[in-house]
Amino acid sequence: GEIPQKNQISLLEDTFGSDLIKAIMTKRSLGQKIADIAVDILNIPRSLITSFDMSAPLRQGIIFTVTKPKQSIPAFGTMFKQAFSKKAFDGWIESVKISPEYKLIKQSNLYVSDPNKISGGISAREEAFMSNLAEKIPIIGEIVKASGRAYTGYLNKLRVDVFNSLSKNLIKSGMDPKDNAIVFKDLADFVNNATGRGNLGKLNRAGAIMNNIFFSPRLIASRFNMLNPVWYAQKSPAVRKEAIKSMAQFIAFGSTVLTIAKAGGADVELDPRSTDFLKIRIGNTRWDIWGGFQQWIRVFSQIISGQRKTAKGDIIDL
């Protein structure tokens, strides 16, 4: 006589299809239905703001975009193809589900976004597009849908390909997924965090609501994790090594870009107390190439020093 938990509903949908889940969801209380509609409405502005572009490669996906070209280049093709074809988007998701690697993907908790799955709700979507109602706005809704498919398609393809590649390397080294399940879960957690899907812990259920307050709470969490030595220490040695290597390559790539920009005449702020720290600045235009990492370094530097630097160069005590 009670509605099953979300993970149970997800399993039921996998087994019996969407019609059963639609029937189950009609049994929600009036309060639950109103709450779900309210969250959806609140996420409309965010979905509109993040539409009309293809920003996933240099936002959530930036680490692997620049450090895993063998996986990121095909993901670009998938992104453009799925942006203009819902059939291609749906077909790719179904092809993953019937692939030999899917069982390990599921067991390891690698995140693969499936907006078509009713049981996931809007919280199972990528943070940039957590609104069903935004997609129903005349004319604009079609652009929101296309942008959502492009964003989701790129990150899904990137996550799956990187995970499959790294997991095959682990298996070749002698690690059996059955005997080393924790290692493959650590690998999936690394891939999730590197693509902006951080774990919110006890706040996971409130992810959709937090999305209205913090814009991208999972992205914020993922960037904090990958700057946190404790997070690396908790990972299995093989995964820790890969995570550190990827992060080092990403920092080296970013540093090279800044060096070239500065040599070309742009301003690059090196004071970590400044809002413009490690940004490329030409006149009043600024480029942040760090995909969400710069803000964490800046705020920690300001807290430790007790000071911040204004855009004019003035030092102000906090």
Side-chain angles (χ1 to χ4, degrees):
E2 297 179 357
I3 293 180
Q5 295 179 1
K6 183 171 288 188
N7 64 324
Q8 295 172 328
I9 292 177
S10 178
L11 291 172
L12 287 171
E13 185 170 8
D14 289 339
T15 307
F16 298 107
S18 299
D19 287 342
L20 173 63
I21 307 307
K22 290 178 182 178
I24 290 176
M25 299 306 281
T26 63
K27 303 300 181 181
R28 290 173 297 166
S29 67
L30 179 60
Q32 288 176 317
K33 292 178 181 178
I34 293 175
D36 288 344
I37 293 173
V39 171
D40 201 327
I41 292 173
L42 290 171
N43 273 292
I44 289 177
R46 167 171 183 113
S47 294
L48 295 178
I49 290 171
T50 54
S51 296
F52 308 96
D53 65 21
M54 293 185 177
S55 57
L58 297 181
R59 188 59 176 168
Q60 265 87 335
I62 190 168
I63 294 178
F64 289 155
T65 295
V66 302
T67 65
K68 305 289 185 187
K70 288 184 178 180
Q71 288 78 37
S72 63
I73 291 175
F76 272 101
T78 297
M79 175 177 68
F80 285 103
K81 184 177 181 180
Q82 294 185 9
F84 298 100
S85 172
K86 186 178 186 304
K87 183 179 180 180
F89 179 82
D90 294 342
W92 184 89
I93 291 177
E94 291 306 313
S95 69
V96 170
K97 291 181 178 179
I98 62 175
S99 68
E101 300 85 3
Y102 189 62
K103 183 178 180 180
L104 182 57
I105 287 172
K106 290 289 288 183
Q107 289 176 342
S108 302
N109 297 324
L110 181 74
Y111 178 70
V112 179
S113 177
D114 183 0
N116 297 325
K117 198 169 183 180
I118 298 173
S119 57
I122 61 173
S123 61
R125 291 171 170 238
E126 294 293 348
E127 286 183 313
F129 296 90
M130 292 177 64
S131 175
N132 290 315
L133 296 177
E135 297 180 351
K136 297 179 181 180
I137 300 174
I139 302 177
I140 293 177
E142 293 303 315
I143 301 177
V144 174
K145 289 179 183 178
S147 298
R149 290 195 300 268
Y151 202 96
T152 302
Y154 181 84
L155 294 176
N156 275 347
K157 173 71 171 172
L158 190 63
R159 287 187 187 115
V160 169
D161 285 359
V162 171
F163 177 81
N164 285 343
S165 175
L166 296 178
S167 62
K168 287 177 182 177
N169 291 339
L170 289 176
I171 293 172
K172 286 181 181 179
S173 70
M175 288 191 181
D176 188 329
K178 293 181 180 179
D179 300 327
N180 300 275
I182 188 65
V183 176
F184 289 87
K185 285 187 177 182
D186 282 348
L187 177 60
D189 187 55
F190 158 54
V191 174
N192 287 341
N193 275 276
T195 52
R197 192 74 185 183
N199 193 326
L200 299 175
K202 295 181 179 180
L203 296 175
N204 275 327
R205 292 184 179 182
I209 298 174
M210 292 177 66
N211 208 50
N212 295 294
I213 303 172
F214 298 104
F215 204 78
S216 295
R218 290 186 182 276
L219 176 63
I220 294 171
S222 72
R223 293 338 190 200
F224 174 76
N225 286 339
M226 298 205 71
L227 290 172
N228 181 10
V230 175
W231 182 81
Y232 288 91
Q234 292 172 340
K235 293 289 172 276
S236 307
V239 176
R240 184 189 310 130
K241 181 180 179 181
E242 181 62 38
I244 292 174
K245 183 178 78 171
S246 295
M247 195 63 183
Q249 290 174 334
F250 170 64
I251 293 172
F253 180 89
S255 299
T256 301
V257 172
L258 294 182
T259 301
I260 294 173
K262 191 171 182 63
D267 292 325
V268 177
E269 176 63 75
L270 299 179
D271 190 333
R273 298 171 297 178
S274 172
T275 302
D276 291 334
F277 177 57
L278 295 183
K279 291 182 181 179
I280 299 171
R281 185 176 65 196
I282 300 177
N284 291 324
T285 304
R286 294 162 173 78
W287 287 273
D288 177 4
I289 66 170
W290 297 101
F293 286 100
Q294 185 264 5
Q295 289 78 6
W296 275 115
I297 298 174
R298 173 174 55 81
V299 74
F300 282 135
S301 298
Q302 290 177 345
I303 290 173
I304 293 170
S305 67
Q307 298 176 325
R308 68 180 179 89
K309 185 177 181 180
T310 68
K312 295 181 179 180
D314 298 326
I315 303 299
I316 298 175
D317 290 331
L318 296 176

